[in-house]
Amino acid sequence: MAEEPFVVAENLLLLAEKIKEDFPYSASVYNSLLLHARDHAHTFKFFTLRGRPESHAVMWINEAKTEIGVHAKPDEIPLLKEALTKTKLLAWQLDRIFCFYNVQDYLTEAVQDVATCKLGKPLLLGSVYTFVREVDHFPPLWCGAGLRVSKLGRAGVAHMLATSKHHKHRDVDEILQLAEGASSAGVYEDEGASQDTLVDAGAMPSGPQDRKPLAWVTCLQYGALAALMTEPEHRRRGLAQLVMEAAGRGMAGQGFVPHAYVEKDNGPSFRMFSRMDGWRRAHDAIFMHT
């Protein structure tokens, strides 16, 4: 019987430090490793290649085997492809819904080849742009009068998930732990804020547990800022930029790599990131799913 090519990663912090060399391509896996090592998240189990301690190849899987992530250096593509072909850790079934998250563009062909072989047909592809926040450029960040920026509270997280395009299925308590412990930002109405206030992204207070924000974003288990949205009646006020910048700075202050994925048909978000000072477009990535 063939030996399982993947083994459980024992030291997530050391693994994160190793793949740090591969920025920006490894940003999501790096952040996710830190999130799990610091007990902000407990969603994924991480694996490395058996007998190859020098390798940068990483795979993560959730318990239900519906969410998968992979990373490897370009010269390790054959190794990763062979391991994905041989592993018994993945449930390759046509009637099963699963997704490979933010696959780097140079890994897409290898993952697709394995999936096509296992399933008899290719996975569906959703292409995204990656925007990364430079961490050495933080001009003053201001919040307008009548508003305040805080981490998301329970009502904010619940509302965010209920209105999300992709994350409705996630558990409120699980995301609340991420929002409070890692990074999130919401703009709340505050009648007591009579003038513009300076936002200290490194010391944002916890948001009210029983109120919904006007705009919001949070870091998710796979390491990127996501679920960005502004209530329709409050759009065109710069609130999305405000929460994204506050959450990005909050991530950077904890040693994470602030970044976000933007679907290629999402013109408003693409234009917002393109004009935000300190954010730059990096590589493309692919979400691959049944």
Side-chain angles (χ1 to χ4, degrees), residues 5-279:
F6 288 105
V7 293
V8 175
E10 296 183 352
N11 191 320
L12 302 188
L13 291 176
L14 283 179
L15 183 56
E17 193 62 29
K18 179 193 295 186
I19 68 169
K20 193 174 183 178
E21 300 174 15
D22 307 332
F23 285 171
Y25 298 105
S26 61
S28 286
V29 177
Y30 172 83
N31 284 354
S32 189
L33 284 164
L34 291 189
L35 288 170
H36 287 75
R38 296 175 181 178
D39 288 329
H40 295 314
H42 305 90
T43 310
F44 304 139
K45 183 175 286 188
F46 295 84
F47 299 87
T48 55
L49 294 182
R50 181 184 298 276
R52 293 188 177 272
E54 79 291 346
S55 174
H56 288 209
V58 181
M59 179 174 70
W60 55 254
I61 316 172
N62 69 340
E63 185 176 359
K65 298 184 179 180
T66 57
E67 298 181 352
I68 308 151
V70 292
H71 170 72
K73 297 186 295 184
D75 61 0
E76 294 180 319
I77 292 175
L79 287 175
L80 179 63
K81 183 176 181 180
E82 180 182 14
L84 290 174
T85 300
K86 294 181 177 180
T87 186
K88 303 298 183 183
L89 297 172
L90 301 181
W92 298 101
Q93 299 172 11
L94 275 173
D95 59 348
R96 187 177 181 85
I97 298 174
F98 63 87
C99 178
F100 280 85
Y101 277 66
N102 47 268
V103 181
Q104 306 310 329
D105 46 10
Y106 62 83
L107 292 176
T108 305
E109 183 177 354
V111 174
Q112 189 68 287
D113 285 349
V114 176
T116 302
C117 177
K118 295 289 186 177
L119 298 173
K121 66 176 185 178
L123 296 172
L124 302 176
L125 307 181
S127 188
V128 295
Y129 302 112
T130 307
F131 283 88
V132 180
R133 179 68 167 86
E134 305 288 355
V135 298
D136 58 351
H137 182 67
F138 294 133
L141 182 63
W142 293 91
C143 179
L147 303 172
R148 64 185 170 96
V149 179
S150 305
K151 293 183 179 180
L152 293 177
R154 173 173 289 278
V157 168
H159 184 61
M160 175 185 69
L161 296 179
T163 56
S164 171
K165 178 180 178 182
H166 299 296
H167 306 292
K168 296 180 187 294
H169 66 286
R170 299 196 181 278
D171 180 74
V172 172
D173 288 330
E174 189 175 28
I175 303 305
L176 182 61
Q177 183 180 8
L178 276 167
E180 293 180 336
S183 187
S184 68
V187 177
Y188 292 85
E189 291 181 314
D190 184 358
E191 299 79 3
S194 58
Q195 58 186 8
D196 293 358
T197 55
L198 191 63
V199 177
D200 183 354
M204 280 190 293
S206 296
Q209 299 301 314
D210 58 348
R211 292 176 58 192
K212 299 174 185 177
L214 310 183
W216 56 86
V217 72
T218 192
C219 178
L220 288 181
Q221 299 98 320
Y222 60 86
L225 287 165
L228 173 67
M229 189 179 292
T230 303
E231 295 286 16
E233 64 270 26
H234 294 284
R235 291 174 183 170
R236 300 187 182 280
R237 298 173 59 186
L239 301 185
Q241 295 182 51
L242 178 58
V243 295
M244 180 58 69
E245 184 63 11
R249 293 184 186 197
M251 288 188 74
Q254 297 187 65
F256 297 106
V257 182
H259 67 287
Y261 296 106
V262 176
E263 292 173 300
K264 291 195 171 181
D265 62 355
N266 188 341
S269 287
F270 179 85
R271 290 189 291 273
M272 183 195 79
F273 278 102
S274 297
R275 64 175 178 260
M276 284 177 66
D277 190 25
W279 290 80

Side-chain angles (χ1 to χ4, degrees), residues 272-289:
M272 183 195 79
F273 278 102
S274 297
R275 64 175 178 260
M276 284 177 66
D277 190 25
W279 290 80
R280 65 177 178 84
R281 179 184 164 190
H283 52 285
D284 291 353
I286 311 291
F287 283 71
M288 309 176 67
H289 58 93

